[in-house]
Amino acid sequence: MNEMLFGDTAKARRTKRTLRKALCCSATALALAAGQSDHATAGTLTGARDKAVQIAQSTETHVFDIPAQPLGGALADFGRQAGIQITLNSEILEGRDGPAVTGSMTAEQALQRLLSGSGINWRFLEDGTVALERPATEKGTAVLDPVRVVTSVAPSTSSLGNKPEKYAGGQVATGGKLGVLGNQDAMDVPFSITSYTEETIDNQQAETISDVMANDPSVRSGYAFGNYQELFVIRGFPLSGEDIAIDGMYGNAPRQIVSMEMFDRVEVLKGANAFLNGVAPGNTGIGGGINLVPKRAGDTPLTRFTARYEQTTRLGGHADVSRRFGDDNAFGIRVNAAVRDGETAIDNEQRYMHLGHVALDYDGERARATLDLATQRHRIDQGKSIVRVNTTTVPDATKGSSNYAPGFVFSEMRDSYAQLSGEYDILSSLTAHATVGYRDLREDGDFATPTVINAAGDATISSLIVPREDTNQSGQVGIRGDYATGPVRHQFGFGYAALKTINRNSFDFSNTVTTNIFNPVDFDRPATSFSGGDFNDLPKVSESTLQSYYVSDTLSFWEEKVALTVGLRYQHIHSENFNRDTFVETQNIAQSATTPVVGLVVHPMQSLALYANRIEGLSVGEVAPGGAANAGEIFPPFQSVQWELGAKWDQGNFGAGFAVFQTTQPSGITDPATNIFGVDGEQENRGVEVTMFGEPWKGIRLLGGVTYTQAELQNTAGGTNDGNDAVGVPRVQANLGMEWDLPFLNRTTVSARTLITGDQQLNAANTLEVDGWARLDVGARTVQDIYGRDVAFRLNIENLTNHDYWASAQGGYLTPGAPLTAKLSVSADF
């Protein structure tokens, strides 16, 4: 006899259509799994369907508080708390107990814990369903339990409808977006990708991308030259803010600092990616890329408010609201609004931020669409900047909380963007997709960067005012297909992408004054030395257009145990530069290149994937400088080549990755003997990465890894620096994080994370070495019932020991490390 464990089906199911289709697949799977004949009658299938349990699985997290009790009662509590309707055979549960399940997790993760040790196992089926079955039988007949019905019936060719699910522990996802290949499971692709989830962002109170990257052993963060733009170093190569993607599209992400409140995931692709994403508009990204996934409305209504405090006096609030509506709940809306303001843990540094983000989506029978509308403003007053070095000794790191910036320094950044994406299933295995985007940027600032001239910290400093406006227009259109030719499965795609950028700016340099980074003195802005452009009507300085055509195919053999990915992308770069004062065109460059990719994945067993790839990076070619004998000569785009071998291991609750890589990047040099400029130099980065993630033991989660990189300069000008270490690339990086759900304190978690970074070279001659550093972060969170509502309290302390250090030497300058910083938040759902 069947019994109902009550939950809110309307919230858990997106459409009746989805349920009907999935139940048909489930019934067939149940019949086959039970050993039924291939000629099963309609009555047999109907009986199987009656025994099935429809579990509508959402990727949203819920806060569970299920005490240890008989399994039937535990499943009833699970259904109510997850908003899921469950139907099952009560005889299966007799004599079985369920363990306590507490904390924030997805419904599937909670169900997995409830069934642990029950003898009921998960079994994934090829049709997109998951069967629960108990192999122990009576009278030789398998007893089949619930079937989970996936909420989405989007085909494999869909990118908008196939968001990878969260991995065990909820800190990372099972895959991510690989540019033109769309969303992919990490175990099925010949590339290294890590996708950090909203749960990680919230629990660590991450404000910007740099905060999220503190979890990744292959990435280090610093500032760009002369402003507060976050700069990321992936596998030893820089990635600038211009080269961050949103849903796989360049050109729309805020340029300098990106706030996390409007994003659900931060995906890091490690390695060259010119085929996958195209040439980066900021001319970086040779060592990897970052993709941001906007938040979308989930199946469960959400109304959440979070209040925040950050040392020293910075306060903030964040509202997050989402709903689904319309026929079959096909339409969704999610709105995020946030504000933060006050003094940071650095003396006199004030930071203000506000943002608004509206995310709309449509999930129909054959069509899917998303629309993001967002605006963000950051203002930094008396921000602590980078330090340049013009001495034979690297200065000691300044105290983390001290501030050598003069009082007049500020930066104000305003970004607004719109991005519309759509898909239409032409056939069940053929999908057309298109994306268009637009971004508008305005930056104003008065920057002052000290240049240290001796070990005592004496420095010269001048001011630079640079008002800037950017206008970006982007678009992409293509086709994805999935079909079989005999025993070979083909997942193919082809399309076109374009990005147009117009930059307007002016500048004003001041005279130079003296200061000291250890004992700074405040002063008014010095008098102007020279300037260019009109500050009231900013002149156009540059215009660039990037276009590309691509085609790819992934061929799967031997029951998809072997997959070969091949692809080709033709890329055309057209850039123009203009004089600020006369508006006359000073440079017109047209370049093109073809970037191929070859990747192989082999699954010797279900839990292991071995992979290899050869893929290229692409950056704009240089122009011979004015002093060279061939001044003005234009060189083709620089094509970097990456080779990578690796392995991925997935045990269901814990995973790990191993990769060996080599990337060679060309560089332009002027031969001192002939005075001819040419593309003769190289930087070769060789490294080994080891990563880990998941929940190896119940209530204990691990995240992090270790990277070893040897970055060597080759064929330098006159051979002077041949064999030296590249600037700003530490040989050793390690990030080791752990969370522990306290068994003696209900719904409470403590965490710790250490970051270790080796020595770095500050110049190509390797005569200036920056000491390595280590940092310890700790945290604690708890969920308490207050007046019938779950309220989450989070405390995080970064750099607990208040260690003073230079965080990065990338670019040949020093980025200061952050001081001890405490963050506290209180979050409640209404």
Side-chain angles (χ1 to χ4, degrees):
M1 177 179 179
N2 292 345
E3 66 180 13
M4 185 73 69
L5 302 181
F6 295 97
D8 191 346
T9 307
K11 294 181 181 179
R13 299 303 310 154
R14 176 152 318 165
T15 65
K16 296 177 182 178
R17 165 184 54 80
T18 301
L19 182 58
R20 286 196 300 269
K21 289 185 177 181
L23 281 176
C24 289
C25 294
S26 302
T28 304
L30 283 168
L32 293 175
Q36 301 288 347
S37 168
D38 291 339
H39 305 286
T41 64
T44 302
L45 293 178
T46 301
R49 186 184 302 114
D50 289 340
K51 293 181 181 179
V53 176
Q54 299 96 43
I55 304 176
Q57 175 62 42
S58 170
T59 59
E60 296 292 321
T61 58
H62 307 267
V63 177
F64 290 95
D65 186 10
I66 304 173
Q69 58 183 303
L71 187 55
L75 286 170
D77 286 346
F78 163 80
R80 284 189 290 269
Q81 295 177 25
I84 291 175
Q85 179 175 283
I86 301 177
T87 305
L88 49 80
N89 190 326
S90 61
E91 295 179 358
I92 296 173
L93 304 179
E94 290 182 1
R96 298 182 181 277
D97 293 326
V101 175
T102 60
S104 176
M105 64 195 78
T106 66
E108 182 176 359
Q109 291 164 355
L111 185 59
Q112 203 167 29
R113 293 188 186 186
L114 280 177
L115 296 172
S116 175
S118 67
I120 300 173
N121 301 319
W122 288 100
R123 190 162 65 85
F124 292 86
L125 305 176
E126 293 182 356
D127 58 10
T129 64
V130 178
L132 288 175
E133 60 184 24
R134 178 161 52 87
T137 62
E138 293 180 10
K139 300 180 182 179
T141 303
V143 179
L144 295 170
D145 288 344
V147 172
R148 173 175 64 84
V149 180
V150 180
T151 56
S152 172
V153 292
S156 61
T157 50
S158 168
S159 179
L160 299 181
N162 285 324
K163 176 181 170 182
E165 295 184 359
K166 295 179 182 178
Y167 194 75
Q171 295 178 304
V172 299
T174 56
K177 191 156 211 168
L178 289 174
V180 298
L181 299 182
N183 283 325
Q184 298 285 340
D185 190 294
M187 291 288 288
D188 296 335
V189 294
F191 309 104
S192 177
I193 184 171
T194 305
S195 180
Y196 299 98
T197 64
E198 181 183 0
E199 187 171 338
T200 297
I201 295 170
D202 288 345
N203 287 337
Q204 296 180 0
Q205 302 184 73
E207 296 183 11
T208 69
I209 298 176
S210 285
D211 294 333
V212 181
M213 292 301 98
N215 296 290
D216 201 295
S218 299
V219 186
R220 284 297 178 264
S221 304
Y223 284 160
F225 184 80
N227 58 22
Y228 302 101
Q229 178 181 158
E230 291 189 332
L231 179 74
F232 309 99
V233 183
I234 306 178
R235 287 187 173 178
F237 294 105
L239 174 72
S240 69
E242 287 96 339
D243 299 336
I244 303 296
I246 294 180
D247 256 353
M249 177 74 75
Y250 282 140
N252 297 327
R255 190 179 85 93
Q256 290 204 33
I257 301 173
V258 182
S259 295
M260 289 292 94
E261 283 86 350
M262 55 185 167
F263 293 105
D264 176 66
R265 291 182 183 177
V266 179
E267 300 173 340
V268 185
L269 172 65
K270 296 153 192 177
N273 53 91
F275 167 78
L276 298 171
N277 297 313
V279 61
N283 220 31
T284 64
I286 302 302
I290 294 176
N291 180 58
L292 305 175
V293 181
K295 291 180 177 179
R296 303 279 175 232
D299 297 315
T300 304
L302 174 68
T303 303
R304 177 175 298 158
F305 181 77
T306 302
R308 301 185 60 157
Y309 161 81
E310 179 185 328
Q311 189 181 359
T312 301
T313 60
R314 199 159 180 241
L315 302 175
H318 172 209
D320 187 357
V321 180
S322 74
R323 295 291 188 274
R324 301 209 69 84
F325 58 93
D327 293 341
D328 295 332
N329 278 339
F331 294 91
I333 181 172
R334 188 162 183 175
V335 178
N336 278 269
V339 62
R340 294 192 296 271
D341 191 19
E343 184 177 334
T344 71
I346 299 172
D347 296 341
N348 301 318
E349 182 182 87
Q350 302 278 333
R351 291 196 177 223
Y352 170 84
M353 183 282 300
H354 75 236
L355 70 81
H357 176 232
V358 179
L360 305 172
D361 73 271
Y362 170 74
D363 187 0
E365 180 79 27
R366 300 178 68 175
R368 294 161 295 279
T370 61
L371 173 63
D372 292 285
L373 303 169
T375 184
Q376 173 191 280
R377 174 175 174 247
H378 279 267
R379 182 179 173 99
I380 303 172
D381 287 290
Q382 203 169 344
K384 190 174 183 179
S385 67
I386 65 167
V387 172
R388 290 177 286 189
V389 176
N390 185 20
T391 180
T392 57
T393 304
V394 176
D396 293 336
T398 59
K399 186 178 179 182
S401 60
S402 69
N403 193 351
Y404 40 73
F408 63 83
V409 167
F410 81 97
S411 177
E412 186 165 358
M413 302 151 278
R414 287 166 285 182
D415 289 88
S416 299
Y417 84 90
Q419 184 164 310
L420 172 65
S421 299
E423 292 181 339
Y424 183 76
D425 301 330
I426 302 170
L427 300 171
S428 60
S429 58
L430 189 68
T431 299
H433 62 90
T435 301
V436 293
Y438 177 85
R439 180 174 72 103
D440 181 74
L441 169 148
R442 171 73 191 207
E443 293 178 1
D444 293 278
D446 196 343
F447 306 96
T449 300
T451 300
V452 173
I453 58 176
N454 58 39
D458 292 326
T460 59
I461 190 169
S462 61
S463 166
L464 170 62
I465 299 175
V466 188
R468 171 175 175 150
E469 293 177 349
D470 283 359
T471 302
N472 291 1
Q473 301 174 59
S474 54
Q476 181 172 289
V477 61
I479 296 285
R480 292 193 192 97
D482 189 345
Y483 69 96
T485 54
V488 181
R489 177 188 179 189
H490 295 265
Q491 294 171 283
F492 70 90
F494 58 88
Y496 166 79
L499 170 63
K500 181 178 181 180
T501 299
I502 297 177
N503 169 242
R504 304 175 185 272
N505 68 62
S506 297
F507 67 88
D508 181 307
F509 279 100
S510 80
N511 291 322
T512 299
V513 298
T514 59
T515 186
N516 186 287
I517 63 171
F518 301 117
N519 297 290
V521 292
D522 200 9
F523 54 90
D524 295 332
R525 185 180 191 273
T528 296
S529 172
F530 62 98
S531 62
D534 186 344
F535 277 54
N536 296 317
D537 185 11
L538 299 181
K540 181 166 69 171
V541 174
S542 66
E543 179 176 330
S544 66
T545 302
L546 311 176
Q547 300 182 77
S548 65
Y549 301 86
Y550 64 88
V551 60
S552 70
D553 191 9
T554 297
L555 302 89
S556 301
F557 311 87
W558 296 302
E559 298 181 342
E560 301 188 25
K561 292 181 180 178
V562 177
L564 175 67
T565 297
V566 294
L568 200 64
R569 190 165 190 151
Y570 171 80
Q571 315 207 45
H572 182 75
I573 304 166
H574 182 210
S575 60
E576 300 171 88
N577 294 325
F578 303 89
N579 184 283
R580 289 181 178 84
D581 299 310
T582 66
F583 314 122
V584 173
E585 183 180 88
T586 59
Q587 199 171 69
N588 191 318
I589 302 174
Q591 304 172 322
S592 61
T594 301
T595 52
V597 62
V598 178
L600 179 68
V601 180
V602 179
H603 292 274
M605 59 183 68
Q606 185 177 2
S607 60
L608 180 65
L610 307 177
Y611 73 94
N613 70 60
R614 184 204 183 272
I615 190 169
E616 296 184 359
L618 189 67
S619 55
V620 177
E622 294 186 17
V623 178
N630 57 337
E633 182 181 350
I634 300 172
F635 289 84
F638 293 173
Q639 293 181 256
S640 306
V641 178
Q642 172 191 280
W643 296 87
E644 181 176 357
L645 295 172
K648 303 171 186 179
W649 177 63
D650 182 0
Q651 283 296 103
N653 62 329
F654 184 71
F658 173 83
V660 179
F661 62 88
Q662 174 183 295
T663 304
T664 304
Q665 182 187 35
S667 60
I669 61 171
T670 300
D671 190 313
T674 64
N675 198 34
I676 295 176
F677 180 87
V679 186
D680 300 315
E682 281 186 349
Q683 177 178 325
E684 184 177 80
N685 290 13
R686 295 179 176 180
V688 178
E689 293 172 345
V690 179
T691 57
M692 62 179 180
F693 50 87
E695 194 170 30
W697 304 280
K698 182 179 178 181
I700 295 179
R701 291 171 289 281
L702 301 178
L703 181 63
V706 179
T707 298
Y708 176 84
T709 306
Q710 183 175 334
E712 185 177 289
L713 301 178
Q714 299 176 352
N715 302 323
T716 60
T720 305
N721 298 318
D722 286 1
N724 286 357
D725 289 347
V727 171
V729 184
R731 292 208 171 189
V732 177
Q733 297 176 180
N735 299 54
L736 304 172
M738 184 182 76
E739 291 188 345
W740 180 31
D741 297 334
L742 299 180
F744 51 83
L745 198 57
N746 193 31
R747 303 168 75 181
T748 299
T749 300
V750 294
S751 63
R753 178 182 64 194
T754 184
L755 283 71
I756 300 172
T757 303
D759 298 342
Q760 304 175 59
Q761 299 299 326
L762 189 60
N763 61 358
N766 288 185
T767 59
L768 296 173
E769 186 172 85
V770 180
D771 291 339
W773 54 272
R775 189 182 97 186
L776 175 63
D777 303 336
V778 297
R781 63 181 184 269
T782 185
V783 178
Q784 298 298 319
D785 187 314
I786 300 178
Y787 296 112
R789 297 187 185 279
D790 283 339
V791 180
F793 298 85
R794 298 181 177 93
L795 172 66
N796 295 92
I797 301 176
E798 298 172 0
N799 193 5
L800 179 67
T801 62
N802 202 23
H803 178 61
D804 301 328
Y805 61 98
W806 296 119
S808 173
Q810 180 65 213
Y813 52 84
L814 301 169
T815 298
L820 182 150
T821 304
K823 300 178 180 179
L824 174 67
S825 69
V826 181
S827 181
D829 290 355
F830 298 92

Short mmCIF file of all heavy atoms in Angstrom, two decimals, residues 249 252 370-372 418-422 434-438 473-477:
data_model
loop_
_atom_site.label_atom_id
_atom_site.label_comp_id
_atom_site.label_asym_id
_atom_site.label_seq_id
_atom_site.Cartn_x
_atom_site.Cartn_y
_atom_site.Cartn_z
N MET A 249 29.89 35.51 -22.18
CA MET A 249 29.99 36.65 -23.11
C MET A 249 30.95 37.70 -22.56
O MET A 249 30.78 38.18 -21.43
CB MET A 249 28.61 37.28 -23.31
CG MET A 249 28.62 38.51 -24.21
SD MET A 249 28.84 38.12 -25.94
CE MET A 249 27.21 37.48 -26.33
N ASN A 252 30.61 42.70 -20.96
CA ASN A 252 29.51 43.22 -20.17
C ASN A 252 29.78 43.29 -18.67
O ASN A 252 29.05 43.97 -17.94
CB ASN A 252 28.25 42.38 -20.41
CG ASN A 252 27.78 42.46 -21.84
OD1 ASN A 252 27.93 43.50 -22.49
ND2 ASN A 252 27.24 41.37 -22.36
N THR A 370 16.73 34.43 -21.22
CA THR A 370 17.09 35.15 -19.99
C THR A 370 17.39 36.60 -20.37
O THR A 370 17.88 36.89 -21.46
CB THR A 370 18.33 34.54 -19.31
OG1 THR A 370 19.45 34.63 -20.20
CG2 THR A 370 18.10 33.10 -18.91
N LEU A 371 17.10 37.51 -19.44
CA LEU A 371 17.41 38.92 -19.60
C LEU A 371 17.95 39.45 -18.29
O LEU A 371 17.29 39.31 -17.24
CB LEU A 371 16.18 39.72 -20.03
CG LEU A 371 16.34 41.24 -20.07
CD1 LEU A 371 17.39 41.65 -21.11
CD2 LEU A 371 15.01 41.93 -20.36
N ASP A 372 19.14 40.03 -18.32
CA ASP A 372 19.75 40.63 -17.14
C ASP A 372 19.89 42.12 -17.35
O ASP A 372 20.42 42.58 -18.37
CB ASP A 372 21.14 40.03 -16.89
CG ASP A 372 21.07 38.58 -16.47
OD1 ASP A 372 20.70 38.33 -15.32
OD2 ASP A 372 21.36 37.71 -17.30
N ALA A 418 23.18 45.31 -19.95
CA ALA A 418 22.01 44.50 -20.28
C ALA A 418 22.48 43.34 -21.15
O ALA A 418 23.32 43.53 -22.04
CB ALA A 418 20.97 45.33 -21.03
N GLN A 419 21.96 42.16 -20.87
CA GLN A 419 22.35 40.98 -21.65
C GLN A 419 21.13 40.10 -21.86
O GLN A 419 20.47 39.69 -20.90
CB GLN A 419 23.46 40.20 -20.95
CG GLN A 419 24.00 39.02 -21.76
CD GLN A 419 25.34 38.52 -21.24
OE1 GLN A 419 26.28 39.29 -21.04
NE2 GLN A 419 25.45 37.22 -21.03
N LEU A 420 20.82 39.81 -23.12
CA LEU A 420 19.65 39.01 -23.48
C LEU A 420 20.13 37.75 -24.20
O LEU A 420 20.89 37.83 -25.17
CB LEU A 420 18.73 39.82 -24.41
CG LEU A 420 17.54 39.07 -25.04
CD1 LEU A 420 16.56 38.62 -23.97
CD2 LEU A 420 16.86 39.95 -26.07
N SER A 421 19.70 36.60 -23.71
CA SER A 421 20.06 35.32 -24.32
C SER A 421 18.80 34.53 -24.62
O SER A 421 17.81 34.59 -23.86
CB SER A 421 20.97 34.49 -23.39
OG SER A 421 22.17 35.17 -23.12
N GLY A 422 18.82 33.78 -25.73
CA GLY A 422 17.68 32.95 -26.08
C GLY A 422 18.10 31.67 -26.76
O GLY A 422 19.17 31.59 -27.38
N ALA A 434 21.30 32.50 -29.29
CA ALA A 434 21.80 33.84 -29.59
C ALA A 434 21.88 34.64 -28.30
O ALA A 434 21.08 34.44 -27.38
CB ALA A 434 20.90 34.54 -30.59
N THR A 435 22.85 35.54 -28.24
CA THR A 435 23.04 36.44 -27.10
C THR A 435 23.46 37.81 -27.61
O THR A 435 24.30 37.90 -28.51
CB THR A 435 24.11 35.91 -26.13
OG1 THR A 435 23.73 34.62 -25.66
CG2 THR A 435 24.27 36.84 -24.93
N VAL A 436 22.88 38.86 -27.04
CA VAL A 436 23.31 40.22 -27.33
C VAL A 436 23.51 40.94 -26.00
O VAL A 436 22.83 40.66 -25.01
CB VAL A 436 22.29 40.99 -28.20
CG1 VAL A 436 22.22 40.39 -29.59
CG2 VAL A 436 20.91 41.00 -27.55
N GLY A 437 24.48 41.86 -25.98
CA GLY A 437 24.77 42.57 -24.74
C GLY A 437 25.17 44.01 -25.01
O GLY A 437 25.63 44.36 -26.10
N TYR A 438 24.99 44.83 -23.98
CA TYR A 438 25.38 46.24 -24.06
C TYR A 438 25.86 46.68 -22.68
O TYR A 438 25.24 46.34 -21.66
CB TYR A 438 24.20 47.11 -24.49
CG TYR A 438 24.51 48.59 -24.52
CD1 TYR A 438 25.10 49.17 -25.65
CD2 TYR A 438 24.25 49.41 -23.42
CE1 TYR A 438 25.40 50.52 -25.69
CE2 TYR A 438 24.55 50.77 -23.46
CZ TYR A 438 25.12 51.33 -24.59
OH TYR A 438 25.42 52.66 -24.62
N GLN A 473 29.34 46.81 -27.20
CA GLN A 473 28.22 46.08 -27.81
C GLN A 473 28.73 44.69 -28.20
O GLN A 473 29.77 44.57 -28.84
CB GLN A 473 27.71 46.81 -29.05
CG GLN A 473 27.22 48.22 -28.79
CD GLN A 473 26.86 48.94 -30.07
OE1 GLN A 473 26.00 48.49 -30.82
NE2 GLN A 473 27.53 50.06 -30.33
N SER A 474 28.00 43.66 -27.79
CA SER A 474 28.46 42.30 -28.02
C SER A 474 27.32 41.44 -28.55
O SER A 474 26.14 41.73 -28.33
CB SER A 474 29.02 41.69 -26.74
OG SER A 474 28.06 41.77 -25.69
N GLY A 475 27.67 40.37 -29.24
CA GLY A 475 26.66 39.46 -29.75
C GLY A 475 27.25 38.12 -30.14
O GLY A 475 28.44 38.01 -30.45
N GLN A 476 26.41 37.11 -30.10
CA GLN A 476 26.83 35.76 -30.50
C GLN A 476 25.62 34.99 -30.99
O GLN A 476 24.52 35.11 -30.42
CB GLN A 476 27.47 35.03 -29.32
CG GLN A 476 27.96 33.63 -29.64
CD GLN A 476 28.77 33.03 -28.50
OE1 GLN A 476 29.88 33.43 -28.21
NE2 GLN A 476 28.18 32.05 -27.83
N VAL A 477 25.77 34.22 -32.05
CA VAL A 477 24.69 33.40 -32.58
C VAL A 477 25.29 32.07 -33.03
O VAL A 477 26.43 32.03 -33.52
CB VAL A 477 23.97 34.11 -33.74
CG1 VAL A 477 24.92 34.39 -34.89
CG2 VAL A 477 22.76 33.31 -34.20
#
